[in-house]
Amino acid sequence: MNTQKLMGYDPQIQEAITKELQRQEQGLEMIPSENFVSLAVLEALGSVLTNKYSEGYIGKRYYGGCEYIDVIEGLAIERAKQLFGAEHVNVQPLSGAPMNIAVYFGLLEPGDTILGMDLSHGGHLTHGHPVTYMAKIFNFIRYKTNAKGKIDLDNLRDMAIEHKPKMILVGYSAYSREIEYEKIKAIADEVGAITMADVAHIGGLIAGKQMDNPVPIFDVVTTTTHKTLRGPRGGMIMCKEKFAKQIDKAVFPGLQGGPHENNIAAKAVAFKEALEPAFEEYAKQIKTNAKILERKFNEFGYTLCFGGTDNHLLLVDVFSSKGVTGKQAQNALDIAGITLNKNMIPDDPRSPMDPSGIRFGTPALTTRGMKEIEMEIIADWINEAIENWQDNTKLASIKSNVIELTKKFPLYPELS
Ligand code: DSN
């Protein structure tokens, strides 16, 4: 086996990693689904656990030599249970898409109806968007938000009565409001539907006790572990005990093979971090920071989708507000050193590749230690970049200010 370290053996890869580290350090990361993990999480990810096969579950593995793997997976599960108050947890899903697919296959039959949120209203691709294979297998019916930007519960109930779904699915990737789990559960109970919440975006805010927790209320709750939860790239499924066997069988052997135990160890480390009191402070600051951005963008005269934010993100209609498309805004901000993403707005008249909106959030900047004062400054820069999206000199000048600011909030000094 090669005995050289990465730098000596593969300078091309090492150089790209170094440049990516520099990009992360010198930029303002505002894609709301991204975050920065701790060195301890990175260490677990890069550990020898990547060498091991361990199909199956604790005490029931197909291969030998899984005694330490069992310890690790057990810790991840126990910590996740403690964080969310879950009855049963499966930490093996490789990421968000397979996690949701496993739930559909575990609890439903092909052809069954699922009531899920429209993508342009804040839903997610894996919630039945027509481009996905899941949409060929299950019958997804889409609900929307109302004119005030809230989930229209009366309409949701009418749709549930009309379509008799086997599952009602909530949890969103661009929706910025709290979700009324109790009321949605009551609607599901009326029509005999299973309730599923995909809290991938807000998992960390729930763990940090800053948003309502659907785990005690809903049948199944999924979350990725790399967003607000600030762990490694991966997924997990939490469910009531009565669904445990079906969920576990759907993940393995139904959908996946050997679990990625290095990721599972890193999940366990991240959950330990999220159980610390400091994580609650972190989650609180994420929301405080988002509220500053909300105020500033209102002052600048932008249309905020859903009327504002209760969580970590904002969806802003830049096209109707400033005549700049989402793609133009994203590109200009990239030049200015601020990373966010173009995004559809509810019933967007434009195309997904050049939509009307941008979506941005505060989890990663908050991890860096940025607070209210920095949010005020950054909001000014975003607005300036959008209003001057064709002015490369202006964008370059914002970028040098961005670099100066980031120097005050070092990210991984140990790795530089
Ligand atoms: N790609 C993630 C997001 O940005 O919301 C979800 O899959």
Side-chain angles (χ1 to χ4, degrees):
M1 122 171 121
N2 166 45
T3 54
Q4 292 184 66
K5 293 195 89 166
L6 190 57
M7 181 56 125
Y9 181 68
D10 196 339
Q12 287 167 294
I13 290 293
Q14 180 57 62
E15 195 193 339
I17 293 175
T18 305
K19 285 191 172 153
E20 171 60 14
L21 172 61
Q22 202 176 59
R23 188 195 68 80
Q24 291 184 15
E25 284 186 322
Q26 295 185 347
L28 293 174
E29 183 49 72
M30 297 189 76
I31 294 173
S33 49
E34 293 192 11
N35 213 333
F36 302 116
V37 299
S38 68
L39 289 178
V41 168
L42 276 183
E43 218 176 311
L45 269 178
S47 68
V48 293
L49 297 170
T50 195
N51 297 335
K52 188 72 192 102
Y53 259 124
S54 54
E55 279 100 327
Y57 291 102
I58 298 173
K60 290 175 281 182
R61 307 278 181 183
Y62 187 72
Y63 293 106
C66 289
E67 55 270 39
Y68 306 113
I69 295 298
D70 279 359
V71 171
I72 288 163
E73 202 166 316
L75 283 167
I77 290 169
E78 283 317 308
R79 289 172 186 173
K81 282 184 175 174
Q82 209 185 322
L83 258 185
F84 290 93
E87 288 179 17
H88 179 79
V89 179
N90 187 312
V91 290
Q92 293 191 2
L94 302 177
S95 211
M99 140 193 116
N100 287 342
I101 292 168
V103 176
Y104 305 148
F105 278 116
L107 305 186
L108 305 173
E109 294 298 325
D112 278 353
T113 297
I114 303 173
L115 203 50
M117 168 88 94
D118 188 279
L119 181 70
S120 78
H121 287 244
H124 188 254
L125 274 180
T126 60
H127 298 179
H129 191 276
V131 299
T132 64
Y133 290 128
M134 287 308 104
K136 296 190 197 327
I137 294 170
F138 300 102
N139 175 35
F140 284 91
I141 306 281
R142 274 163 268 284
Y143 61 91
K144 297 185 173 186
T145 53
N146 61 21
K148 289 189 179 146
K150 295 279 164 76
I151 295 167
D152 190 337
L153 289 178
D154 291 334
N155 180 249
L156 179 65
R157 181 170 177 272
D158 290 346
M159 290 179 79
I161 290 167
E162 183 189 344
H163 296 285
K164 298 185 181 37
K166 286 276 170 56
M167 175 181 277
I168 296 182
L169 171 53
V170 307
Y172 315 106
S173 57
Y175 184 64
S176 50
R177 292 304 194 182
E178 186 55 273
I179 302 166
E180 296 182 281
Y181 300 107
E182 298 271 10
K183 290 184 181 165
I184 293 166
K185 171 74 174 148
I187 294 170
D189 285 347
E190 238 184 286
V191 297
I194 293 168
T195 43
M196 171 177 173
D198 171 357
V199 298
H201 262 263
I202 54 172
L205 296 176
I206 295 168
K209 301 186 175 54
Q210 304 304 313
M211 289 196 81
D212 293 346
N213 183 5
V215 173
I217 304 163
F218 268 39
D219 296 312
V220 191
V221 177
T222 59
T223 183
T224 48
T225 48
H226 49 274
K227 299 186 177 92
T228 46
L229 207 41
R230 209 161 57 178
R233 207 151 278 282
M236 85 170 157
I237 303 171
M238 297 171 272
C239 64
K240 298 288 181 212
E241 198 55 53
K242 69 173 177 173
F243 294 115
K245 277 206 174 89
Q246 285 160 274
I247 291 292
D248 285 352
K249 271 175 72 180
V251 174
F252 176 82
L255 188 68
Q256 295 184 179
H260 295 184
E261 292 293 343
N262 56 326
N263 275 67
I264 290 174
K267 285 174 193 176
V269 176
F271 299 158
K272 183 174 159 78
E273 291 171 356
L275 283 163
E276 307 272 356
F279 195 82
E280 273 186 45
E281 286 309 307
Y282 167 62
K284 201 168 170 184
Q285 189 67 47
I286 289 178
K287 283 180 68 174
T288 305
N289 285 351
K291 277 288 177 199
I292 301 287
L293 298 179
E294 175 191 85
R295 175 174 59 71
K296 293 287 285 189
F297 279 81
N298 270 324
E299 284 169 11
F300 296 142
Y302 288 85
T303 303
L304 306 189
C305 301
F306 316 119
T309 183
D310 298 325
N311 60 22
H312 62 303
L313 67 81
L314 287 155
L315 182 60
V316 174
D317 181 351
V318 279
F319 190 65
S320 78
S321 312
K322 301 278 168 174
V324 179
T325 71
K327 186 175 166 187
Q328 288 163 343
Q330 177 184 309
N331 290 345
L333 284 155
D334 256 342
I335 298 170
I338 300 171
T339 314
L340 45 64
N341 64 277
K342 59 182 180 286
N343 211 96
M344 301 276 276
I345 60 164
D347 296 323
D348 203 323
R350 300 185 56 83
S351 75
M353 294 316 286
D354 193 7
S356 301
I358 53 171
R359 184 190 69 153
F360 52 96
T362 56
L365 296 186
T366 308
T367 292
R368 289 189 81 152
M370 295 188 190
K371 295 203 163 91
E372 292 88 325
I373 192 159
E374 288 77 31
M375 295 306 122
E376 300 260 355
I377 298 167
I378 292 165
D380 287 339
W381 289 340
I382 297 175
N383 178 46
E384 217 176 310
I386 292 171
E387 288 186 341
N388 298 280
W389 67 278
Q390 288 171 302
D391 182 345
N392 279 343
T393 314
K394 175 71 90 183
L395 298 176
S397 132
I398 297 171
K399 181 162 188 165
S400 37
N401 290 332
V402 163
I403 292 174
E404 282 313 304
L405 177 68
T406 59
K407 283 183 191 156
K408 296 188 200 146
F409 296 89
L411 183 54
Y412 293 115
E414 302 83 351
L415 302 178
S416 298

